[in-house]
C-alpha cells in the first residue's frame, strides 16, 4: 500500500510539473507536438531514474560517510549532466528522428530542475533505495502524463480560431494553469 501511495501521490497529487512547478522549461518548450512530448517524457524517465539511483548511492556511500554532505548539489548536477550526455549519444544512434525533434531541448534536461528536485526529495523524504526508484519512476510518469496531456491540448489549439492576442504563449500558459487546477482535484484523495 505504501508503494501505491508513493506512485499515486507523485503522479497525480504532487505532480512534479503541475503542483511543484519543477521542469517548466521543457514542459512549455517541448509540448508543441504529442510525439516529441512522449519522447521527452521517455528521456526524462530514463535520466530521472538513473540519476536518482546514482545520487542515492553517492549520498549514502560517499557524501555522508566522509562528512561532505554540503557537496550534494554540485555532485548531483555533475551526475545529471553526465547522464544527459549519455542519453544524447544513445538517442543520436538509436532514434535520429527523435533526436532531431527534441533538438535544443534535450540538453535542457541537464538543467531540468525536476530531475535535481526528485534526487533531493528522495533524500529529504528519507526513502530507501527501492522507494527512491519507485518515486523517481512515478515522478517521471507524472511529468510524461502532464506534458502529454498539455501537448495534445496545444495541438488542438493550433487548429482552432483563437483571438490574435491569445495565440501561442498566452493560450499555453492559460491551459497550463487550468491543467494544474484540474490535478489539484486529486489532493483530497491521498
Amino acid at each position: 500500500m505504501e508503494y501505491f501511495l508513493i506512485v499515486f501521490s507523485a503522479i497525480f497529487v504532487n505532480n512534479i510539473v503541475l503542483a511543484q512547478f519543477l521542469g517548466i522549461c521543457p514542459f512549455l518548450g517541448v509540448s508543441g507536438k504529442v510525439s516529441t512530448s512522449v519522447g521527452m517524457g521517455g528521456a526524462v524517465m530514463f535520466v530521472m531514474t538513473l540519476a536518482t539511483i546514482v545520487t542515492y548511492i553517492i549520498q549514502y556511500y560517499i557524501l555522508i560517510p566522509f562528512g561532505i554532505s554540503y557537496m550534494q548539489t554540485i555532485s548531483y548536477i555533475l551526475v545529471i549532466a553526465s547522464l544527459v550526455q549519455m542519453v544524447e549519444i544513445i538517442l543520436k544512434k538509436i532514434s535520429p528522428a527523435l533526436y532531431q525533434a527534441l533538438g535544443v531541448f534535450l540538453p535542457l534536461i541537464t538543467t531540468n530542475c525536476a530531475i535535481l528536485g526528485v534526487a533531493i526529495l528522495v533524500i529529504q523524504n528519507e526513502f530507501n533505495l527501492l522507494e527512491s526508484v519507485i518515486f523517481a519512476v512515478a515522478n517521471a510518469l507524472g511529468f510524461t502524463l502532464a506534458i502529454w496531456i498539455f501537448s495534445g491540448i496545444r495541438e488542438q489549439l493550433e487548429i482552432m480560431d483563437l483571438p490574435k492576442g491569445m495565440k501561442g504563449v498566452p493560450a499555453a500558459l492559460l491551459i497550463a494553469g487550468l491543467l494544474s487546477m484540474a490535478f489539484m482535484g486529486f489532493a483530497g484523495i491521498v
Side-chain angles (χ1 to χ4, degrees), residues 17 21-31 40 104-105 108-109 111-114 143 147 150 154:
V17 177
F21 306 111
L22 297 173
I24 295 294
C25 184
F27 177 72
L28 292 174
V30 185
S31 59
M40 176 59 93
V104 73
F105 296 105
L108 284 179
I109 295 176
T111 58
N112 187 344
C113 54
F143 177 87
I147 198 170
F150 188 58
R154 284 187 70 183

Side-chain angles (χ1 to χ4, degrees), residues 17-135:
V17 177
L18 301 174
Q20 298 182 24
F21 306 111
L22 297 173
I24 295 294
C25 184
F27 177 72
L28 292 174
V30 185
S31 59
K33 293 186 178 184
V34 172
S35 58
T36 57
S37 66
V38 171
M40 176 59 93
V44 166
M45 181 177 296
F46 180 75
V47 172
M48 190 177 285
T49 305
L50 273 178
T52 300
I53 292 169
V54 172
T55 56
Y56 181 91
I57 292 168
I58 287 172
Q59 180 74 24
Y60 287 107
Y61 294 103
I62 297 173
L63 298 180
I64 291 176
F66 290 108
I68 54 173
S69 295
Y70 58 88
M71 296 291 291
Q72 180 186 49
T73 303
I74 191 70
S75 61
Y76 286 15
I77 290 171
L78 290 172
V79 166
I80 292 167
S82 301
L83 289 172
V84 169
Q85 289 301 312
M86 186 174 72
V87 168
E88 194 169 355
I89 291 168
I90 290 170
L91 271 181
K92 198 176 207 180
K93 297 280 185 196
I94 293 176
S95 179
L98 180 59
Y99 175 78
Q100 291 295 327
L102 291 176
V104 73
F105 296 105
L106 188 58
L108 284 179
I109 295 176
T110 305
T111 58
N112 187 344
C113 54
I115 295 171
L116 180 61
V118 167
I120 291 173
L121 284 171
V122 160
I123 304 305
Q124 288 177 348
N125 292 331
E126 298 178 355
F127 288 143
N128 62 35
L129 185 58
L130 179 59
E131 290 171 336
S132 300
V133 171
I134 291 170
F135 184 71

